[in-house]
Amino acid sequence: MANALIIVDVQNDFCEGGSLAVAGGAGVAAGISRLLAAEPNRWDHVVATKDYHVDPGVHFGNPPDYIDSWPAHCVVGTPGSEFHPELATDRIEAIFHKGEHAAAYSGFEGHAADGERLADWLRARGVDRVDVVGVATDHCVRATALDAAREGFATTVLLDLTAAVAPETLDVALRAMDGAGVAMTGTPVITAT
């Protein structure tokens, strides 16, 4: 069997300077790149997800409530939807886009350019274990990890390579992942509010 690294939403709009920035996002991008360079054989496969909004309806709020609606972010064709420049992308084999016309938090809701879903892509390559990193710990990382576990993959979140939005939602996310049998190592980047 094989293992894979899932890099979740390390995009400009989710990092410092973006429209929905998470403090520490740029550092997470750089940290992932350092780890991939230092341990090139750690994963058999590396994939990434992208928030990729065309018209996600009420997912964009004016004003946003920061619970179910958010400022416009990761709009297809904008610089904000691109990977952060600190993220090395040479090892990424496939990108799974999510949220074109609705809210989507989990990478398992996404699809590759040919329409293939993440779970199917992983299974086709014999993957049974995944590590999850990216932004934000308490939203899309959490949702992706929970879905990975539901899909039957042995799932670990490398918390040192995630950045969280807020202590309150981080605590809820950590409890949910623990309750679902998701393994976690390290400590997420979090700026106390």
Side-chain angles (χ1 to χ4, degrees):
M1 298 304 279
N3 66 346
L5 178 67
I6 303 174
I7 302 169
V8 177
D9 297 2
V10 181
Q11 294 165 264
N12 288 326
D13 271 347
F14 294 137
C15 296
E16 291 83 349
S19 65
L20 192 52
V22 178
V28 164
I32 294 167
S33 298
R34 283 193 301 272
L35 182 59
L36 285 168
E39 299 184 40
N41 299 316
R42 181 168 174 176
W43 296 281
D44 300 302
H45 301 284
V46 178
V47 299
T49 70
K50 273 190 174 183
D51 241 23
Y52 211 62
H53 297 308
V54 175
D55 180 12
V58 297
H59 185 61
F60 287 173
N62 189 14
D65 64 16
Y66 293 93
I67 299 168
D68 296 310
S69 65
W70 310 90
H73 59 276
C74 300
V75 174
V76 173
T78 67
S81 71
E82 298 303 318
F83 288 124
H84 190 275
E86 290 292 322
L87 179 67
T89 59
D90 56 305
R91 290 279 314 278
I92 296 173
E93 297 173 58
I95 300 168
F96 295 86
H97 297 113
K98 58 188 177 66
E100 286 98 328
H101 299 285
Y105 295 90
S106 169
F108 286 86
E109 296 175 80
H111 57 83
D114 64 1
E116 189 171 21
R117 297 286 185 181
L118 177 54
D120 296 331
W121 192 97
L122 294 169
R123 287 191 186 102
R125 287 150 184 82
V127 172
D128 63 338
R129 293 167 286 120
V130 298
D131 290 341
V132 182
V133 298
V135 183
T137 321
D138 32 0
H139 295 284
C140 294
V141 169
R142 172 194 54 82
T144 300
L146 291 174
D147 277 355
R150 266 193 288 275
E151 291 282 351
F153 298 101
T155 305
T156 301
V157 177
L158 308 181
L159 292 172
D160 288 341
L161 296 175
T162 70
V165 173
E168 302 77 21
T169 49
L170 173 61
D171 185 55
V172 171
L174 295 177
R175 287 197 315 266
M177 291 189 290
D178 184 59
V182 172
M184 293 173 275
T185 64
T187 305
V189 175
I190 180 72
T191 302
T193 55

